[in-house]
Amino acid sequence: MFSTDEMDYLESLTGSNPIQPYIDRFKQESKQDNFEETGLSCDIYLDFAEARVRQFVLFQSENGGILDPSDGKEHEYATASFAKAGAILKANGRCKDLEEQILLAMDWACTCLGENRVPDDHADFTTYMLVRAYQLLTPEVDSKRSDGWKMNLSKVEPELFYCQTVRNFPDIRTIRNWATYAMHGEMMRHREGFTNSMAFIDKYLKPQMTRFTREGLYRDPNLPTAYDLAARQQLSGLIDAGYNGEWKGFLELQLRKGAQTMLFMQSTTGSTSCGGRSNQIIWNELTFANLCEREAARYAREGDLEWACIFKRAARKALQSIMRWIEDPVEFRLLKNRFDSELRNGWEFYAYYSTYSLYAAQIAASCFETADESIPEKAVPSDIGGYVVPIESFHRIYATTGPQQGGYHVAIDTAAQMGHDATGWVRLHKADYPEETALSMGIPGLSGNIHLNYFVAKQIIPRPHTSAAIGLTWRDGHGVWHRLAGYGRRKHETFASLNKEGVPTNPEKVHWQVHLDDVKVAHDELTFQIHYVSTGLQLLNDMDLRIPDDDLHPAYKRGVADMLPRPGIEGVAAITESYQIAQEGVTTSWSVEVAEETELSAIGVTVPVLVSNGTDESVIRRDGNKLIVSYSNISYVIKPEDKSDDVELELLPGLMPNRNGNYRLAQWIRKDAKNAITLHFSMEKDLTPSEHSDRH
């Protein structure tokens, strides 16, 4: 199964977390208690689940299936999610008037699973939900009904019923997060006596182990953060359902490391990290919360109240961050924008309103079951701040400041997945401010997208050809503009075979080697530098070419070999970004090192600025070279630090969509490429007339 290199890599995963120094420092500094408790009760989890069940009971068919409002069809695991959420609600004294609808959904979902006709071939996701519903509902129904459920749940043939098995994926190592759901379900079936075989888990768990990183995160293809969370949640469920096999100790260690790591990826707003497929959907935060509630309860049982309190607060901050979308007065917002749900703006093709809403509901219900209300809250990393943490396996850097440094959170994606993200500074949040005000994720483009382009999120306006983030742009000697944002990962990565460092044996070439330097933490500011050094990799006809790949046709390779390489990355040998984060805002400077035997005719910095989140509009004003974006009683200001007239501001007219809304692109340009461009970013709440008078 594993090569010698892979065995060495697995052995290395039993070592300490690469970010352990940050964890240790946080534990020392977390003794401060200068934070305000969220005040959120675990009952809110049930409130959310109940609201979704009541919302979708209106779309229940005669046979019990939950239909999607968009097309009137049953999809994926919507009905199983409804049954599980409904069962937990019923067990906790909720939805008594919906008992028959919940039982009918359970009947139908179990029948579909037992007859191998789960909609859209998604049986992998349904088993664990239905077994949990069975555990709760069986004592409340007659034996004839529960026997019917048991019969169907016992008929599952994993290799035939589940989609991601060697039946469809001959190389077992390429099977991704779906297997974690299926194994969780099989462990629960085994626990209830619906199967006496552990063969499926024994077969499919082992190859999943190399998907873990040294930080304890799970690598789904192309590194989507949503499916790191989802896979770790399901593998946690596998342990909780009683798995005690060969990989239990190893798995528990990785899950513990991953849970601590993700705390340093949480924004000061409480939200989870952006990046990759299915991000910016509220089930991301609920999955994060579920993992944290589990860790809090586990640490409490072990007697480690400090970590228990930390994870309790992390969970509630995540829940708090999505309340504005849950409680939207117009409609429940599944994704973090206010476009009409029927437009599916920002959703992948596989995302349905019914499926993901009810999926979120059953996660929330599980959060309630796991939560321990006796645990108080204690400061989390995003409360304390003062750190810059690189997560090298995910090509990410997270910088977070505490209240005395402004409460800002900055995320940099140093090698983004093209088609989903942008390379560069992709997130600028401030505590207690709407996340989309400045930027919550990059602007994906069309150019350089991986071949599986149908996986990208739908947009209702055309997406730009070139990605955009807050970052450098430059004009080469031929007059062509290039953006750092457009240089990222462009292949579909499977992580099938790894070397001893955990890197794919046929890795995708990257354009930049990235280094984090000069991190300095003071009481009132945080400073650091990021260096991008060119690898010389060229972009040509939407292919990355410097040394041609071995699998290219020989004639193509000979043709490429005759092309003269261009210096650096289109004339750039290196880029340096210097960040200073303080109470008054974020000041960032960009400078370039020009490659030998070339010249640049200009450099600039691009900044996406919000136009609309679907309903709420901004007002964008120019004041010389300063840009002011007024949105939701907030002034977001970007201005050059240099007072000279050679930095020109241009506001481009076209709209740039991401999952959160539609943006426009502002560019500050300097024709002298030898000098840096420095911009200052700040967000302040507009004062009301009474507040103005109070200040005087």
Side-chain angles (χ1 to χ4, degrees):
M1 169 67 71
F2 294 134
S3 67
T4 301
D5 280 350
E6 288 168 337
M7 291 299 295
D8 289 343
Y9 175 64
L10 286 173
E11 178 64 28
S12 75
L13 293 183
T14 62
S16 64
N17 193 331
I19 72 162
Q20 192 62 44
Y22 301 94
I23 297 171
D24 294 341
R25 197 182 83 199
F26 160 69
K27 287 295 294 296
Q28 288 296 318
E29 296 175 349
S30 67
K31 301 185 187 308
Q32 308 171 40
D33 289 321
N34 56 341
F35 69 93
E36 182 179 349
E37 290 205 16
T38 63
L40 297 182
S41 161
C42 65
D43 287 337
I44 295 175
Y45 292 129
L46 281 192
D47 293 343
F48 171 77
E50 181 173 356
R52 302 289 73 75
V53 167
R54 292 191 179 278
Q55 177 183 2
F56 284 95
V57 75
L58 302 176
F59 299 95
Q60 188 170 36
S61 67
E62 291 182 0
N63 60 19
I66 304 300
L67 311 181
D68 195 80
S70 65
D71 60 7
K73 298 179 180 179
E74 183 184 0
H75 289 288
E76 300 168 346
Y77 38 83
T79 306
S81 297
F82 182 96
K84 179 191 168 186
I88 295 174
L89 288 163
K90 186 174 179 298
N92 288 280
R94 305 274 192 116
C95 294
K96 293 181 179 179
D97 57 317
L98 300 181
E99 178 177 8
E100 189 52 41
Q101 290 93 329
I102 294 167
L103 297 178
L104 192 62
M106 181 65 173
D107 292 340
W108 179 247
C110 287
T111 298
C112 288
L113 179 60
E115 296 179 359
N116 193 20
R117 51 190 178 104
V118 173
D120 305 325
D121 204 9
H122 271 61
D124 313 51
F125 296 85
T126 65
T127 307
Y128 79 96
M129 299 182 193
L130 295 178
V131 176
R132 182 58 186 144
Y134 173 88
Q135 293 169 338
L136 294 171
L137 294 174
T138 293
E140 307 297 325
V141 300
D142 59 67
S143 59
K144 180 179 179 181
R145 196 165 207 166
S146 62
D147 286 347
W149 299 338
K150 180 177 181 179
M151 177 188 69
N152 280 308
L153 291 171
S154 300
K155 287 165 62 177
V156 175
E157 298 181 48
E159 292 285 357
L160 296 178
F161 284 32
Y162 298 142
C163 176
Q164 291 214 3
T165 63
V166 292
R167 170 172 57 93
N168 294 320
F169 293 78
D171 186 344
I172 196 171
R173 299 172 300 176
T174 65
I175 294 173
R176 56 193 191 278
N177 73 85
W178 289 41
T180 65
Y181 289 85
M183 289 185 291
H184 182 189
E186 286 305 295
M187 193 66 239
M188 293 191 71
R189 284 206 317 129
H190 188 273
R191 183 173 186 169
E192 290 300 314
F194 300 153
T195 177
N196 60 8
S197 174
M198 292 283 290
F200 183 86
I201 296 171
D202 292 339
K203 177 178 179 179
Y204 286 93
L205 182 59
K206 184 176 180 179
Q208 292 291 306
M209 295 301 95
T210 52
R211 287 193 174 273
F212 279 102
T213 73
R214 289 191 172 94
E215 302 94 349
L217 304 179
Y218 178 96
R219 295 181 292 197
D220 213 48
N222 307 312
L223 305 176
T225 54
Y227 293 107
D228 156 57
L229 294 169
R232 286 191 290 113
Q233 180 198 34
Q234 295 305 313
L235 291 170
S236 297
L238 176 71
I239 295 291
D240 294 343
Y243 174 73
N244 196 30
E246 175 187 3
W247 294 95
K248 180 183 179 182
F250 178 88
L251 187 53
E252 287 179 324
L253 174 61
Q254 305 315 310
L255 293 172
R256 186 171 297 208
K257 286 199 298 184
Q260 292 184 351
T261 295
M262 73 182 185
L263 296 179
F264 292 84
M265 301 161 72
Q266 186 178 28
S267 171
T268 53
T269 65
S271 71
T272 63
S273 176
C274 61
R277 294 185 294 113
S278 296
N279 84 92
Q280 303 301 296
I281 303 176
I282 65 156
W283 67 253
N284 290 201
E285 275 70 31
L286 286 167
T287 304
F288 179 97
N290 188 225
L291 285 164
C292 289
E293 296 283 10
R294 175 187 184 269
E295 289 298 293
R298 183 180 62 78
Y299 275 113
R301 289 194 301 271
E302 294 175 358
D304 190 338
L305 189 59
E306 185 174 8
W307 271 118
C309 296
I310 291 167
F311 276 104
K312 165 75 172 292
R313 177 164 174 78
R316 302 304 164 91
K317 283 193 71 171
L319 175 61
Q320 188 177 55
S321 76
I322 59 174
M323 294 302 293
R324 63 186 285 238
W325 307 112
I326 292 172
E327 297 178 340
D328 189 289
V330 176
E331 68 169 328
F332 160 63
R333 307 291 181 177
L334 175 60
L335 194 131
K336 295 179 182 179
N337 66 48
R338 287 201 168 103
F339 294 96
D340 191 306
S341 62
E342 292 182 0
L343 297 174
R344 295 172 49 84
N345 194 59
W347 304 10
E348 279 86 358
F349 79 97
Y350 51 77
Y352 293 93
Y353 192 54
S354 58
T355 303
Y356 271 1
S357 297
L358 289 166
Y359 178 67
Q362 61 87 24
I363 298 173
S366 290
C367 288
F368 176 85
E369 288 194 301
T370 306
D372 182 344
E373 288 296 80
S374 70
I375 301 171
E377 294 183 11
K378 185 174 175 60
V380 298
S382 61
D383 292 318
I384 305 297
Y387 57 82
V388 186
V389 176
I391 307 295
E392 294 182 2
S393 59
F394 271 61
H395 310 290
R396 296 295 176 82
I397 298 171
Y398 299 90
T400 306
T401 61
Q404 73 281 1
Q405 303 157 331
Y408 285 96
H409 176 75
V410 166
I412 295 104
D413 193 335
T414 62
Q417 181 200 352
M418 294 294 93
H420 275 287
D421 300 298
T423 296
W425 180 2
V426 294
R427 173 167 282 186
L428 173 57
H429 284 174
K430 186 174 182 178
D432 303 320
Y433 284 61
E435 295 170 354
E436 70 273 18
T437 303
L439 194 64
S440 206
M441 62 169 289
I443 310 289
L446 290 173
S447 178
N449 189 14
I450 61 173
H451 298 303
L452 296 175
N453 58 7
Y454 53 83
F455 274 125
V456 302
K458 176 188 177 182
Q459 298 293 350
I460 58 174
I461 62 172
R463 67 176 62 214
H465 279 282
T466 304
S467 304
I470 305 173
L472 192 75
T473 183
W474 64 95
R475 189 170 64 193
D476 64 22
H478 302 283
V480 179
W481 283 99
H482 309 273
R483 290 183 198 150
L484 173 65
Y487 293 88
R489 293 175 285 121
R490 300 151 62 86
K491 293 183 179 179
H492 184 63
E493 182 58 78
T494 60
F495 290 99
S497 176
L498 306 177
N499 65 21
K500 62 183 179 181
E501 299 301 322
V503 176
T505 51
N506 185 25
E508 179 175 359
K509 303 178 181 70
V510 295
H511 299 89
W512 311 96
Q513 295 294 332
V514 182
H515 309 281
L516 172 66
D517 289 317
D518 296 329
V519 178
K520 297 177 182 177
V521 182
H523 173 74
D524 57 351
E525 71 175 17
L526 174 67
T527 62
F528 60 97
Q529 287 190 340
I530 297 176
H531 302 285
Y532 294 82
V533 180
S534 164
T535 62
L537 187 66
Q538 305 295 303
L539 282 180
L540 180 65
N541 297 329
D542 282 339
M543 297 188 68
D544 290 331
L545 296 176
R546 178 70 171 190
I547 301 172
D549 289 331
D550 292 336
D551 57 356
L552 288 177
H553 190 281
Y556 198 102
K557 290 168 66 175
R558 289 197 302 272
V560 170
D562 288 339
M563 295 180 183
L564 294 176
R566 305 178 76 173
I569 301 293
E570 301 298 346
V572 171
I575 299 168
T576 297
E577 301 176 350
S578 301
Y579 293 81
Q580 178 190 40
I581 309 177
Q583 188 69 240
E584 57 270 19
V586 182
T587 303
T588 307
S589 178
W590 288 265
S591 61
V592 300
E593 179 185 331
V594 181
E596 293 184 8
E597 301 179 1
T598 190
E599 62 179 320
L600 302 182
S601 55
I603 65 168
V605 174
T606 63
V607 181
V609 292
L610 182 68
V611 174
S612 172
N613 73 355
T615 58
D616 305 321
E617 308 288 327
S618 69
V619 176
I620 302 173
R621 295 180 291 117
R622 291 181 57 168
D623 180 6
N625 281 342
K626 179 168 69 173
L627 198 67
I628 304 103
V629 182
S630 298
Y631 174 74
S632 188
N633 297 319
I634 295 164
S635 290
Y636 171 42
V637 179
I638 311 108
K639 62 182 181 180
E641 287 287 277
D642 191 337
K643 303 299 182 182
S644 65
D645 295 330
D646 64 343
V647 177
E648 303 173 5
L649 167 60
E650 182 179 14
L651 186 61
L652 302 182
L655 292 178
M656 312 273 288
N658 68 12
R659 295 175 192 263
N660 304 116
N662 295 328
Y663 290 71
R664 289 177 67 182
L665 200 63
Q667 294 187 150
W668 282 262
I669 297 169
R670 166 173 265 152
K671 292 181 180 178
D672 182 2
K674 295 179 181 178
N675 291 326
I677 292 181
T678 303
L679 298 180
H680 179 76
F681 303 78
S682 63
M683 285 183 274
E684 297 296 337
K685 293 181 179 177
D686 296 332
L687 298 179
T688 64
S690 62
E691 288 173 321
H692 273 292
S693 61
D694 291 342
R695 290 269 181 107
H696 293 282

